[in-house]
Amino acid sequence: MAPGLEEELTCPVCRDIFEEPVFLPCSHSFCRACLKRWWKKKQVLKCPVCNNACGSKRPPCNLALKNACEAFLLERAEPEPLCRLHAESLKLFCLDHQEPVCLICRDSDAHRNHSFRPVSEAALDLREELRRSLEPLQDRLKLLQQVKGHFGHTTEHVLLQTRQAETQMKKQFQELHRFLQEEEDARIDALREEERQKVWVLSHETEALRREMAALSDVIQAAEEQLRAADASFIRNHKAAVERVQRCRLQDVPRLLSGALMDVAKHVGNLSFRVWTKMKEVVSYRPVILDPNTAEAGLLLSEDLTSVRHGPRQELPENPERFECHGMVLGSQGFCSGAHSWSVEVGDSRAWLVGVAAEGFRRKGAPDPSSGLWAVAFSNGEYVSISPTGPSPLHPERKLKSVSVHLDWGRGRLTFTDAETQAHIQEFTPGHTEALFPLFHTSSDLPLRISQAPSGEDEDEDCVVRLDDEI
């Protein structure tokens, strides 16, 4: 063949040798199927190359080009395999021996009373068998590509959380700089270590995905090359191809585990209090710190994680801890013993909820109070209490500006009061159940703010449970 002939015989749409070529009035030629797919997306029938209008939806076949393509492919094709015993063409497929044979082999004693099929028909069935074997591998590869993208997005978010947390930590350390330089270095080192560990885990999982994807791609590519081989050559090698495909073990798709994100609350929350012995005079302690890893994407948390309001929806990882909808966020710590109190400034917010949720409270889909929710709420000008037994109306003495929550685990009692007047609002008896986490909801752009605890009030670390304790 003359140099450059292959380029002349290549369809400008699919960039492959023409298959059933047709030509347009402008003299450009295309595969019939390529031209049909191109026109399917267009309202006006035009040439894909020169953009000239075409008069007919059924352009004529370019017979000369078709013959040239067939001749080119025939010249480039592999030589036809021959029978090793008789040097004849392999035209039959022995169903008993599962191998291609020639006409002389059919009549030999080695194949007496055997069943035969034309090699072209047998090749069709075997190709279909290999295609079916490839389908789960191809589906697996697509799924792994999606998971890899999700892991990549999560890695970026972990790095972003690290940068934001470092900024907040430095702000607080600047205020205590004379006394806390050593403490600042220690906390940042801890943050960096967690970042390194979690990024390493995600990188390790991503690398494992990459290796599995590469292995699957190699198997798929090899199988696809066999599918494009000549019938007899394909039949000769199809067993090995099928065995290689079937040797690929399809394991469970990796998932992002709970606790994959940075524990920002551990590093930023209550930072001043945790160094109280050095700077007692300026300690600012909040009994509850919001956990950004649980916040629904439509919530905006303050830099110190002590207030929350409704805002524009953000692009956040779909980690297991995060609420899917309904503007909810949990405190970073749960309680499973002892007594705990915190107050929430609700101000003039038009819609809010303050309470506690069991560790197993449903995060995805519509909230289900029966899975463990005890709270007081305000919406549409009415107050209501919510518990697993159902909602009931409340009638406080006056409009609530701040709500106090008192959890006495030992007695199995949960009490809500007006933080300003100490007037009783509601009481529940959740009993001794799983760990309870502070829960907040708002659909207002006015923030809910956790009040500062009275001086000297401390937390009992033995009573604290974190969402990622099992990680």
Side-chain angles (χ1 to χ4, degrees):
M1 287 291 177
L5 178 59
E6 183 173 357
E7 180 65 26
E8 296 295 329
L9 301 179
T10 298
C11 172
V13 174
C14 66
R15 304 306 302 168
D16 202 352
I17 301 300
F18 285 106
E19 184 174 343
E20 195 178 353
V22 297
F23 64 92
L24 302 179
C26 58
S27 298
H28 290 120
S29 296
F30 307 91
C31 300
R32 185 180 297 278
C34 293
L35 189 62
K36 184 177 180 181
R37 285 194 299 270
W38 179 275
W39 281 351
K40 188 176 182 180
K41 305 176 183 177
K42 310 295 181 182
Q43 295 182 350
V44 180
L45 305 184
K46 293 184 179 181
C47 173
V49 174
C50 63
N51 216 29
N52 286 335
C54 303
S56 173
K57 292 184 178 180
R58 296 184 178 179
C61 176
N62 192 335
L63 187 58
L65 182 58
K66 179 180 180 182
N67 293 336
C69 291
E70 290 176 352
F72 177 79
L73 292 174
L74 185 61
E75 180 177 325
R76 194 176 66 174
E78 301 177 11
E80 181 183 4
L82 301 177
C83 177
R84 294 177 181 178
L85 298 177
H86 308 106
E88 295 288 336
S89 297
L90 301 172
K91 297 185 178 299
L92 299 175
F93 180 73
C94 177
L95 298 178
D96 297 83
H97 285 172
Q98 291 288 299
E99 63 180 7
V101 297
C102 68
L103 295 177
I104 299 176
C105 289
R106 178 192 60 183
D107 299 327
S108 66
D109 291 338
H111 294 277
R112 186 184 302 275
N113 298 325
H114 285 186
S115 300
F116 299 90
R117 291 185 65 192
V119 72
S120 58
E121 293 182 6
L124 287 176
D125 293 341
L126 295 175
R127 287 181 195 275
E128 183 60 29
E129 176 188 346
L130 183 55
R131 286 193 184 96
R132 286 195 301 269
S133 300
L134 277 178
E135 287 177 359
L137 300 187
Q138 293 166 335
D139 293 342
R140 169 77 173 188
L141 182 59
K142 291 178 182 178
L143 189 56
L144 291 178
Q145 290 170 340
Q146 295 174 357
V147 174
K148 182 175 179 290
H150 181 44
F151 279 18
H153 176 54
T154 303
T155 302
E156 293 175 1
H157 190 71
V158 167
L159 297 175
L160 174 62
Q161 285 184 303
T162 303
R163 292 193 295 270
Q164 293 174 339
E166 182 177 347
T167 300
Q168 297 311 311
M169 292 168 68
K170 286 188 174 182
K171 273 187 180 180
Q172 297 187 40
F173 276 113
Q174 286 173 1
E175 298 173 2
L176 311 171
H177 187 69
R178 287 183 304 161
F179 304 92
L180 305 177
Q181 188 61 56
E182 292 182 359
E183 184 70 9
E184 178 184 8
D185 294 339
R187 298 293 176 179
I188 291 180
D189 287 344
L191 175 70
R192 293 296 191 185
E193 176 61 18
E194 183 176 355
E195 176 199 17
R196 185 191 67 78
Q197 292 176 1
K198 293 192 173 180
V199 171
W200 182 88
V201 170
L202 287 168
S203 300
H204 181 74
E205 294 294 332
T206 302
E207 178 61 20
L209 285 174
R210 187 196 65 75
R211 290 195 300 268
E212 184 175 353
M213 292 167 61
L216 289 176
S217 296
D218 290 342
V219 174
I220 292 172
Q221 182 178 0
E224 288 175 343
E225 289 177 359
Q226 287 297 318
L227 289 172
R228 291 192 294 269
D231 291 347
S233 177
F234 166 76
I235 293 173
R236 177 178 296 169
N237 299 314
H238 90 279
K239 282 187 178 180
V242 172
E243 289 175 358
R244 187 179 182 188
V245 169
Q246 292 176 346
R247 280 198 301 269
C248 292
R249 298 179 179 178
L250 302 184
Q251 303 174 355
D252 293 339
V253 177
R255 296 183 303 167
L256 186 65
L257 298 178
S258 177
L261 302 183
M262 293 294 296
D263 191 348
V264 179
K266 179 180 69 176
H267 296 284
V268 178
N270 290 332
L271 184 60
S272 297
F273 179 78
R274 283 184 276 128
V275 293
W276 165 76
T277 55
K278 296 180 180 179
M279 291 296 293
K280 186 191 304 185
E281 299 81 5
V282 293
V283 162
S284 175
Y285 172 65
R286 311 290 171 138
V288 170
I289 293 297
L290 303 177
D291 186 352
N293 296 343
T294 67
E296 189 259 328
L299 294 182
L300 298 179
L301 276 59
S302 61
E303 291 181 344
D304 61 359
L305 306 178
T306 61
S307 69
V308 57
R309 64 182 177 87
H310 188 267
R313 191 169 184 82
Q314 308 163 78
E315 289 293 332
L316 298 174
E318 296 179 2
N319 51 298
E321 304 96 331
R322 192 175 307 282
F323 281 101
E324 189 175 50
C325 55
H326 298 286
M328 290 185 172
V329 59
L330 290 178
S332 63
Q333 298 173 344
F335 309 113
C336 60
S337 63
H340 308 271
S341 298
W342 61 94
S343 297
V344 183
E345 300 172 12
V346 297
D348 295 321
S349 177
R350 299 180 300 276
W352 51 265
L353 177 148
V354 175
V356 299
E359 188 172 9
F361 182 66
R362 189 164 71 186
R363 314 287 178 86
K364 309 301 181 183
D368 179 13
S370 65
S371 63
L373 171 63
W374 298 265
V376 297
F378 177 74
S379 180
N380 298 322
E382 297 180 352
Y383 293 95
V384 63
S385 68
I386 302 173
S387 70
T389 58
S392 59
L394 287 177
H395 303 286
E397 297 176 356
R398 63 179 199 140
K399 182 177 180 180
L400 298 176
K401 293 287 187 177
S402 184
V403 177
S404 290
V405 184
H406 311 275
L407 173 62
D408 188 336
W409 182 275
R411 298 182 179 180
R413 182 179 299 171
L414 177 66
T415 307
F416 295 85
T417 60
D418 185 332
E420 296 180 350
T421 66
Q422 302 306 311
H424 177 82
I425 300 174
Q426 181 62 287
E427 182 173 305
F428 299 105
T429 54
H432 297 83
T433 178
E434 55 187 314
L436 296 178
F437 287 79
L439 175 70
F440 309 86
H441 156 79
T442 181
S443 57
S444 170
D445 54 3
L446 298 176
L448 301 184
R449 184 173 288 105
I450 300 168
S451 302
Q452 183 173 332
S455 178
E457 187 170 308
D458 204 346
E459 64 174 328
D460 182 355
E461 289 290 350
D462 292 337
C463 309
V464 171
V465 176
R466 292 189 179 275
L467 289 174
D468 57 353
D469 275 352
E470 296 180 359
I471 303 304

